[in-house]
Amino acid sequence: MFELSLDLVLMLVAAAFAAGFVDAIAGGGGLITVPALMLAGIPPAQALATNKVQGAFGAATAAISYARRGLVDLRAQKGAAAVAFAGGLAGALCVAAIPTDLLRYLLPVLLIAIAVFFALKPGLNDLDRARRLSPGLFTASVVPLIAFYDGLLGPGTGAFLMLGFVMLAGYGILKATAHTKLLNFASNLGGLVAFAAVGKPLWLLGAAMAVAQIAGATLGARLAMRIGARIIKPLLVATSTLLALRLIWQML
């Protein structure tokens, strides 16, 4: 049975707090927690499963925080959340069946493109703009695709959802951030259901990290609601770039 020393547990709890804070604002919390779990010596499958446990709590906390401020109607997102859950579950179940090598090579390119887009695109602020897809079509096409990816691989899911809400749903930066959280929670939960069978998450560690995730997500959501696009954009650019660099380093 895998055991962790107290100092490693405290390190992982601190990483979860930082991840919850970052994830509530711009996504990319897994950039912090997954490497931390693996550095602690936890086998990869178990690390990914444990990450789903604690990550789900952070996403749920952020979703509730934004909903309380009226930035998202969680009841109106129930259908999209159900689709995201199914997509995350399907993606996780297909991990062993679908070759992901090509996707791993494309991911850094996509993430850097997202970073450049949010860094250089003029007029990206908290104001809504013309939408290109109806809510129904967005739920039927974009949501299951990104949720499936979340279950299959996961890195950058928040950034991809943000891009979809900004470019296709026409949302401002803060509103887009708010709308990603319930969907990210649902796809996380779907992935967790599948990973729990094969990855055997460390439930107690996941619960301890979840408490820290909740605290970090609460603080991050409050800061994002206070400052808006001025903090969300640079943090999204930074996390997307760092995640791309980490993926390139892994490949090399």
Side-chain angles (χ1 to χ4, degrees):
M1 184 172 176
F2 188 83
E3 293 184 3
L4 288 169
S5 62
L6 178 60
D7 59 332
L8 281 177
V9 171
L10 292 175
M11 179 200 76
L12 291 170
V13 167
F17 177 85
F21 177 82
V22 170
D23 209 57
I25 298 174
L31 174 67
I32 300 170
T33 49
V34 172
L37 287 162
M38 291 185 178
L39 283 172
I42 301 173
Q46 201 166 33
L48 291 172
T50 304
N51 185 62
K52 293 289 184 187
V53 174
Q54 57 93 38
F57 282 90
T61 300
I64 292 169
S65 297
Y66 286 119
R68 284 175 176 168
R69 286 288 297 272
L71 292 168
V72 58
D73 183 352
L74 298 184
R75 291 183 180 179
Q77 276 199 306
K78 286 190 298 185
V83 171
F85 175 86
L89 177 64
L93 290 174
C94 291
V95 166
I98 296 179
T100 57
D101 290 345
L102 179 60
L103 189 55
R104 290 181 192 276
Y105 284 110
L106 287 175
L107 264 180
V109 178
L110 293 174
L111 287 166
I112 289 172
I114 288 174
V116 170
F117 172 81
F118 279 99
L120 302 180
K121 174 75 173 175
L124 286 182
N125 50 38
D126 292 327
L127 299 177
D128 288 350
R129 55 191 54 77
R131 68 186 184 197
R132 292 180 169 86
L133 291 180
S134 67
L137 187 55
F138 186 88
T139 297
S141 56
V142 178
V143 172
L145 182 65
I146 297 177
F148 182 84
Y149 162 78
D150 190 24
L152 189 67
L153 285 178
T157 298
F160 294 138
L161 282 171
M162 272 282 292
L163 183 66
F165 276 117
V166 170
M167 288 299 295
L168 301 176
Y171 291 174
I173 296 291
L174 181 57
K175 185 177 177 181
T177 298
H179 279 73
T180 65
K181 301 311 169 188
L182 182 62
L183 303 188
N184 212 169
F185 163 75
S187 62
N188 250 329
L189 196 60
L192 175 59
V193 170
F195 274 118
V198 294
K200 300 188 183 342
L202 299 171
W203 294 105
L204 288 178
L205 175 61
M209 293 177 71
V211 173
Q213 268 269 0
I214 290 169
T218 301
L219 183 62
R222 286 178 181 174
L223 187 62
M225 287 183 284
R226 184 179 304 167
I227 302 178
R230 285 180 295 138
I231 189 172
I232 296 171
K233 281 177 62 178
L235 198 53
L236 179 64
V237 170
T239 54
S240 297
T241 303
L242 288 172
L243 182 51
L245 293 174
R246 184 172 75 86
L247 291 170
I248 292 170
W249 178 79
Q250 285 179 329
M251 287 186 290
L252 296 176

